[in-house]
Amino acid sequence: LAMDADNQAILSAVMTESERLDGNYLRPLVNAINGALGQLTGDGAYDKKDCYRVAYERGAKPVFPPQHNAIVQRNKYKKEQALLPRDEAIELMNAGDKDDQRRAWKRQTNYHRRSLIETMMSRMKSLFGDEMRSRCWENQQTDLLIRCYAINRMNQLGLPISEAI
């Protein structure tokens, strides 16, 4: 699912096959969204070259935590522009204590807003269950889109307002 973190609206949804990685579905998710994108945020499964390329092509800031064994691009003279934000994140995390640097990177990039989609998924599962009722792939896709529409409609009716104390 692709969600706008500001208003928690689901912008696009794609059914995934169990044997494929989440990062493989970023391009169709993003291509279904019209308009400008400020930031693309995902978990470590999106730390793939193609995911950074998708963000670069759309002019969005990629925020995907590099994997623990990640290294910067090797070619000093011809670096791929789409991967420069990844290189910067890796260099930042290697600049000191990895855990401290990772926490600093998360604060710096607003990575914690990614938890909003986890909360929305939890809300969707508590409302509709965590299994699809249909066995047919096309019907499952329709079921997913209906669920997304219902969640968006509920969000339009009003979301709770939280304030840090």
Side-chain angles (χ1 to χ4, degrees):
L1 299 174
M3 185 182 91
D4 184 337
D6 292 332
N7 60 14
Q8 297 187 29
I10 300 171
L11 303 175
S12 67
V14 175
M15 286 284 293
T16 61
E17 300 167 17
S18 60
E19 64 271 358
R20 293 198 61 199
L21 301 173
D22 289 348
N24 296 338
Y25 294 95
L26 184 63
R27 188 172 294 279
L29 273 173
V30 170
N31 287 344
I33 301 170
N34 296 323
L37 300 173
Q39 178 170 310
L40 289 178
T41 306
D43 60 18
Y46 294 91
D47 182 37
K48 306 283 183 249
K49 287 181 182 179
D50 191 53
C51 294
Y52 285 92
R53 289 178 186 135
V54 168
Y56 183 76
E57 290 165 7
R58 290 296 298 266
K61 176 183 174 183
V63 179
F64 315 121
Q67 297 176 5
H68 291 284
N69 59 351
I71 57 172
V72 297
Q73 297 177 66
R74 294 178 190 215
N75 189 334
K76 294 180 184 177
Y77 305 104
K78 189 177 179 186
K79 294 193 180 258
E80 186 174 344
Q81 293 294 310
L83 298 177
L84 291 179
R86 180 179 189 267
D87 290 347
E88 291 170 8
I90 293 168
E91 288 170 352
L92 173 74
M93 290 180 198
N94 290 335
D97 180 55
K98 280 196 181 241
D99 291 333
D100 289 341
Q101 294 302 97
R102 188 171 283 267
R103 277 192 291 276
W105 174 83
K106 287 179 179 182
R107 277 191 306 275
Q108 200 175 3
T109 60
N110 287 324
Y111 179 74
H112 296 293
R113 295 196 74 194
R114 186 186 67 82
S115 66
L116 292 171
I117 196 161
E118 301 295 343
T119 302
M120 187 271 306
M121 285 298 298
S122 175
R123 194 168 61 232
M124 185 181 284
K125 286 180 179 181
S126 67
L127 288 169
F128 303 109
D130 60 350
E131 293 183 6
M132 295 290 180
R133 288 172 178 71
S134 176
R135 294 178 188 247
C136 173
W137 182 259
E138 291 79 16
N139 291 348
Q140 288 178 350
Q141 289 175 313
T142 302
D143 188 14
L144 172 65
L145 295 176
I146 290 170
R147 291 176 185 200
C148 292
Y149 175 80
I151 291 288
N152 280 344
R153 187 69 183 116
M154 285 185 245
N155 288 350
Q156 289 172 352
L157 296 173
L159 291 168
I161 299 172
S162 301
E163 292 182 18
I165 298 176

